[in-house]
Amino acid sequence: MESPSIWNDLEKVKRLKKEKSILEKTLREWRSIEERVEEIKILIELFEEEHDHELEREVISKLRSLVNEMKEIELREALKGEHDRGNTIVSIHAGAGGTEAQDWAQMLLRMYIRWAEKKGFKTEILDILYGEEAGVKSVTFNVIGDYAFGYLKSEGGIHRLVRISPFDANRRRHTSFAAVFVYPDIEEESEIVIDESDLRIETFRAGGPGGQHVNKTESAVRITHIPTGIVVQCQNERSQHRNKATAMKILKAKLYELEERKRAEKLKELHEEKKEIAWGSQIRSYILQPYRLVKDHRTGYEMGDVEAVLDGELDGFIWAWILKNISKGRTS
């Protein structure tokens, strides 16, 4: 980056700056670990001299924290996919079941936002379609942070909830489904080239929960990619121009994923996953009744603290998925 000629290619400068930032962060993390290891060594020496139980508890606490941090760094380094380091676009769609499923979709949205907050990531709602009574029919949002896509790609699939319905006067047990789709946030314009003649662009009045949130102008944008049939929309921005730009961003992410799956000869799987959000295809079950358990059916990882999971404690599930796919050589 010190070379004067580099500034002739601004796109390359942008990529190098991002790479430099990631490398600097990695170096800071390892230097911090080295310092903490030395600190723990000193504490251990003090404990061996004084046998102070307070020191013993401090050493154990610091060691646990250090091991967890090193484990996360090690797993993160295993994410070698082209876009694993980048941001991600996540879409959640409620399955059949009306208000029940829509409420479940909103619970998943909250879960991922809380997880992102704990990671220090930013989130931005790109498009949301509210349910008539409660919850959301569908929502698309950005997660912005280092390795956001690498982590969250493990969450793509059908999520199943079993609980006593808060919407059922007879207090019966209900099963709800929601589908989660995870796409890389494509930043480089050259990666996906879209022919304008392949697009059908429509504008409409943005909806919302009602009252002051309802837009009085046709600022919302829906884009259909005619060759593939992919439909995206955005109504969350105030201007039609910004909604169109965001919708195009989502379309590029979906087209990129489609091309990746074609190369892997999994296009048929993609369509089958989207046909039915129902029994037999779930990747994870969240059981609130008759017992309490969250279980991932791909890895076997489970947690009994359902509230913690729904409040964003997802790292165990994500790490288990990464470890399983490392062993199969499929993390990228």
Side-chain angles (χ1 to χ4, degrees):
M1 289 191 69
E2 292 177 352
S3 170
S5 62
I6 195 70
W7 298 99
N8 296 327
D9 187 344
L10 294 180
E11 279 299 314
K12 189 173 182 180
V13 170
K14 183 181 175 183
R15 289 195 299 271
L16 283 173
K17 279 186 174 180
K18 186 174 181 180
E19 181 77 11
K20 182 171 180 281
S21 174
I22 291 169
L23 290 172
E24 286 174 341
K25 182 180 178 183
T26 303
L27 284 171
R28 285 196 302 271
E29 286 174 337
W30 282 108
R31 284 168 182 159
S32 171
I33 285 172
E34 287 175 345
E35 289 172 4
R36 286 156 65 190
V37 166
E38 290 305 314
E39 180 188 354
I40 290 170
K41 284 180 179 178
I42 292 168
L43 289 174
I44 290 172
E45 288 174 5
L46 285 172
F47 170 72
E48 288 172 345
E49 291 175 6
E50 302 176 12
H51 297 287
D52 185 332
H53 293 299
E54 190 65 38
L55 270 176
E56 182 183 25
R57 284 191 289 271
E58 187 178 352
V59 167
I60 291 169
S61 174
K62 286 182 180 292
L63 275 172
R64 282 177 179 162
S65 174
L66 187 63
V67 166
N68 285 334
E69 186 176 335
M70 290 179 69
K71 180 181 177 183
E72 182 164 358
I73 291 172
E74 187 176 7
L75 289 172
R76 192 178 64 204
E77 288 301 308
L79 297 171
K80 300 297 184 183
E82 184 181 358
H83 295 285
D84 282 353
R85 285 181 171 177
N87 305 329
T88 188
I89 295 172
V90 182
S91 289
I92 302 173
H93 299 268
T99 303
E100 275 291 331
Q102 291 161 22
D103 186 54
W104 173 223
Q106 189 164 40
M107 289 168 67
L108 285 172
L109 171 63
R110 180 187 178 277
M111 180 180 78
Y112 290 123
I113 288 176
R114 292 287 294 120
W115 173 83
E117 288 172 350
K118 291 175 182 183
K119 286 286 182 188
F121 295 168
K122 294 179 182 178
T123 56
E124 179 186 4
I125 302 293
L126 302 177
D127 185 61
I128 189 164
L129 181 61
Y130 292 96
E132 286 82 5
E133 296 180 39
V136 296
K137 293 181 179 178
S138 65
V139 59
T140 301
F141 59 99
N142 232 163
V143 181
I144 302 160
D146 291 344
Y147 290 90
F149 176 65
Y151 289 134
L152 284 178
K153 67 183 181 182
S154 65
E155 293 298 297
I158 310 300
H159 295 247
R160 169 180 171 243
L161 172 71
V162 180
R163 64 172 174 174
I164 299 295
S165 170
F167 305 101
D168 187 336
N170 294 317
R171 303 289 294 165
R172 289 172 295 189
R173 192 164 68 232
H174 285 247
T175 300
S176 305
F177 297 90
V180 176
F181 300 100
V182 183
Y183 310 96
D185 187 346
I186 308 300
E187 294 180 359
E188 289 80 8
E189 291 293 325
S190 60
E191 285 200 54
I192 298 292
V193 178
I194 299 175
D195 189 336
E196 287 283 337
S197 64
D198 287 339
L199 303 179
R200 182 169 65 247
I201 301 175
E202 304 164 276
T203 59
F204 59 99
R205 187 173 296 179
Q212 62 182 354
H213 299 287
V214 176
N215 201 328
K216 302 298 189 294
T217 62
E218 291 198 348
S219 61
V221 175
R222 181 184 296 113
I223 300 176
T224 303
H225 186 250
I226 297 167
T228 61
I230 293 174
V231 180
V232 297
Q233 69 179 41
C234 183
Q235 58 179 324
N236 210 51
E237 304 288 352
R238 291 184 178 272
S239 73
Q240 189 180 112
H241 175 74
R242 291 188 65 183
N243 277 325
K244 181 182 176 183
T246 302
M248 286 294 290
K249 178 180 179 177
I250 298 168
L251 178 61
K252 284 185 178 182
K254 291 192 175 187
L255 286 172
Y256 176 85
E257 189 215 28
L258 191 64
E259 287 303 312
E260 286 291 293
R261 287 185 181 254
K262 276 183 181 178
R263 282 194 282 268
E265 296 182 351
K266 290 184 179 178
L267 184 59
K268 184 180 176 182
E269 262 182 40
L270 174 65
H271 290 301
E272 285 176 350
E273 282 175 9
K274 294 186 179 182
K275 277 182 182 175
E276 186 178 8
I277 307 172
W279 284 100
S281 53
Q282 63 267 13
I283 63 163
R284 190 177 301 149
S285 292
Y286 305 71
I287 314 296
L288 278 69
Q289 185 70 28
Y291 53 90
R292 303 181 74 77
L293 183 72
V294 181
K295 180 171 183 177
D296 195 294
H297 302 293
R298 302 162 301 175
T299 64
Y301 185 85
E302 56 186 45
M303 272 184 68
D305 192 345
V306 180
E307 283 79 10
V309 175
L310 293 175
D311 199 40
E313 291 294 333
L314 294 174
D315 280 349
F317 294 96
I318 291 170
W319 291 353
W321 184 89
I322 293 172
L323 282 171
K324 182 175 181 179
N325 284 276
I326 286 172
S327 66
K328 293 182 177 180
R330 293 195 316 213
T331 51
S332 61

